[in-house]
Amino acid sequence: MDASTPPGGEYLKLRDVTDAMRKMMAAIDSSNRVLRAITDVRGTALAILAPGGRFLSANSSAAALFGYSIADLIGKSLVDMVRDSDQTRVSEGFSGTASSAFHSFGAVLRGRGGRDTDILLHKQPIADSEGKFSAFLVVFEEPVILQQESLEALSRPQSEFRRLYAHLMIGQEKERKRVSAELHDGLGQALTLIKLMVEDSLLRIERGSVDEAIGLLESTVLRIRETIGEVRHICNELRPRLLDDLGLAPALESLCRQIERASGKVVVIFDCRVREDEVPDGLKADMFRVAQEAMNNVVKHAVATEIRVSLQRVASNILLTIQDNGIGFEHLPLSADDASSSGLGLIGMQERVESNGGSFSLQSSESSGTLVSATWRT
Ligand SMILES: Nc1ncnc2c1ncn2[C@@H]1O[C@H](COP(=O)(O)OP(=O)(O)O)[C@@H](O)[C@H]1O
Ligand SMILES: [Mg+2]
């Protein structure tokens, strides 16, 4: 945060701001599904606003959300940056008399590029040690995932979350069954056959039919070679071997080329701006799988001609994005119902990212294609 002068010419004390932050943390209900689902790929957008709504201070995430540099944002009025029909609400929300308690409300930002963005504002008054109100601490959240659904989602019964959870568990169980079937049917059968072939060869040697035995052993070697290939394939399904052999960036690069070859018509551009040692080992497989599923989705559904994959550092986070220029999808299928009617790809990616403390978001439109973003704190 930039140190700034609040109205009245006094400086806010750090302790006053952290105290407001603590109160705000307690007031925001983290078990609320909408808040959990709303993820901001840039990190938490924070600002301090003067009574009336003028920006006194902002972090880089807030500046990015509004499309300004920090320096340019300071001094601007939030009221001027929201849709006309929201101006009264925002100006009332930040009036000097609205200083009593924590409050969350929604508004539509009029973006600089003419793009409107739904945001949620969480506002906490900052008081000095004598309890005198001086400014507002504000967190801006961008409901990337649930845009139209957010209000409905608030009223959804608890049972739906249980169903979603059960669905994920079923997904995991299905995956285990698939691996087990592959081991049983693929490897198990192959090894049984090899055993029979070797036994048969032994018998022939005992009977003196050495030439026959040699022929049989030669086919056995071929069969073993195939089986090694199958083992590789299964291991690769479980954990991409390229990752261990080459590291994350080359493995992703190779995946991009593979997708390009397989699709025949999509160009994949990979931009990697992190060093191997900046990425925690425990996250690499997740990053690879998210990129893989997102790109497979593009090939399967998007009718795109280009995919841009990027891996970069944003403050202390690592951000992975997969952007296509395809047809998008109107309805964002991130509910249990949708997941059971289509694949588990999207929901599986979200689950994978969030289970390791990351956040996942999805933006899709007919005009701009689909953007899958995953961020992990490092
Ligand atoms: N990049 C994309 N472009 C267009 N549609 C997509 C894209 N990614 C996902 N979808 C849509 O979301 C649905 C769900 O995706 P997913 O959960 O991966 O399941 P599946 O790929 O098995 O259908 C897809 O069926 C498709 O309609
Ligand atoms: Mg899929």
Side-chain angles (χ1 to χ4, degrees):
M1 283 255 171
D2 292 342
S4 301
T5 318
E10 285 172 32
Y11 281 95
L12 286 174
K13 293 209 176 59
L14 180 61
R15 208 190 46 211
D16 303 333
V17 178
T18 52
D19 193 42
M21 243 175 219
R22 201 174 40 73
K23 286 188 184 136
M24 180 181 249
M25 300 273 283
I28 293 181
D29 178 5
S30 60
S31 65
N32 181 311
R33 177 168 186 243
V34 172
L35 294 186
R36 248 176 56 75
I38 294 165
T39 52
D40 174 4
V41 295
R42 289 175 291 257
T44 307
L46 269 172
I48 295 177
L49 265 59
R54 196 163 52 80
F55 279 90
L56 295 173
S57 167
N59 68 1
S60 54
S61 296
L65 179 65
F66 287 90
Y68 288 95
S69 67
I70 294 176
D72 286 344
L73 185 62
I74 290 170
K76 293 215 164 16
S77 166
L78 177 63
V79 179
D80 297 334
M81 288 189 264
V82 296
R83 191 173 59 180
D84 293 359
S85 53
D86 287 338
Q87 289 190 339
T88 317
R89 182 146 37 106
V90 171
S91 99
E92 280 169 2
F94 290 99
S95 72
T97 52
S99 58
S100 52
F102 173 84
H103 179 46
S104 293
F105 59 98
V108 176
L109 277 191
R110 248 189 357 221
R112 289 182 80 193
R115 201 179 69 108
D116 284 351
T117 314
D118 281 299
I119 51 163
L120 268 181
L121 295 94
H122 308 290
K123 174 200 90 169
Q124 174 73 46
I126 307 174
D128 63 21
S129 47
E130 279 132 41
K132 206 173 92 232
F133 158 73
S134 55
F136 293 104
L137 176 67
V138 188
V139 170
F140 299 94
E141 278 199 276
E142 195 180 358
V144 179
I145 294 169
L146 290 170
Q147 270 164 4
Q148 301 90 354
E149 284 189 22
S150 41
L151 284 174
E152 284 165 44
L154 264 176
S155 59
R156 277 194 199 136
Q158 189 68 17
S159 60
E160 174 154 349
F161 306 130
R162 272 200 217 112
R163 208 149 54 80
L164 181 64
Y165 183 72
H167 186 74
L168 283 172
M169 289 297 107
I170 291 167
Q172 219 174 60
E173 192 55 29
K174 267 195 201 151
E175 178 68 11
R176 286 205 194 109
K177 279 202 182 123
R178 200 180 60 75
V179 172
S180 142
E182 212 150 319
L183 286 175
H184 177 269
D185 301 343
L187 267 192
Q189 306 291 352
L191 287 173
T192 308
L193 185 66
I194 288 166
K195 176 178 159 273
L196 292 175
M197 286 164 93
V198 172
E199 280 171 355
D200 206 7
S201 311
L202 277 175
L203 262 181
R204 279 164 211 249
I205 291 170
E206 275 166 17
R207 277 202 228 121
S209 320
V210 177
D211 285 351
E212 275 178 37
I214 290 174
L216 199 54
L217 283 172
E218 275 167 359
S219 341
T220 313
V221 170
L222 286 181
R223 190 74 202 136
I224 291 174
R225 233 183 244 151
E226 276 169 30
T227 311
I228 292 172
E230 235 163 281
V231 171
R232 278 219 187 96
H233 174 75
I234 295 172
C235 291
N236 206 35
E237 288 276 296
L238 292 174
R239 180 177 163 88
R241 194 171 51 90
L242 280 176
L243 265 186
D244 297 320
D245 291 355
L246 305 175
L248 181 62
L252 283 174
E253 177 65 42
S254 152
L255 177 67
C256 291
R257 294 315 128 225
Q258 221 174 303
I259 297 276
E260 225 170 29
R261 273 198 306 276
S263 81
K265 43 185 177 286
V266 183
V267 175
V268 186
I269 298 154
F270 177 44
D271 181 20
C272 180
R273 294 175 185 227
V274 292
R275 286 194 323 269
E276 192 69 27
D277 60 359
E278 286 181 295
V279 187
D281 279 340
L283 296 179
K284 289 178 183 171
D286 286 351
M287 292 179 175
F288 187 89
R289 289 301 185 207
V290 168
Q292 189 175 38
E293 172 61 24
M295 281 197 271
N296 278 334
N297 274 350
V298 179
V299 174
K300 264 163 71 185
H301 310 294
V303 204
T305 56
E306 188 184 281
I307 308 176
R308 286 179 180 271
V309 179
S310 111
L311 190 62
Q312 57 188 291
R313 191 165 250 299
V314 179
S316 59
N317 299 325
I318 291 187
L319 169 64
L320 169 70
T321 57
I322 300 96
Q323 165 87 64
D324 69 55
N325 65 348
I327 54 172
F329 46 107
E330 300 264 281
H331 176 59
L332 300 173
L334 280 175
S335 78
D337 283 345
D338 289 322
S340 36
S341 60
S342 68
L344 278 167
L346 294 176
I347 212 146
M349 278 194 276
Q350 176 166 19
E351 166 67 9
R352 189 185 275 278
V353 173
E354 290 179 353
S355 68
N356 259 334
S359 58
F360 177 81
S361 81
L362 196 57
Q363 278 171 293
S364 188
S365 81
E366 217 177 315
S367 56
S368 57
T370 301
L371 170 65
V372 171
S373 316
T375 334
W376 293 264
R377 204 156 277 161
T378 56

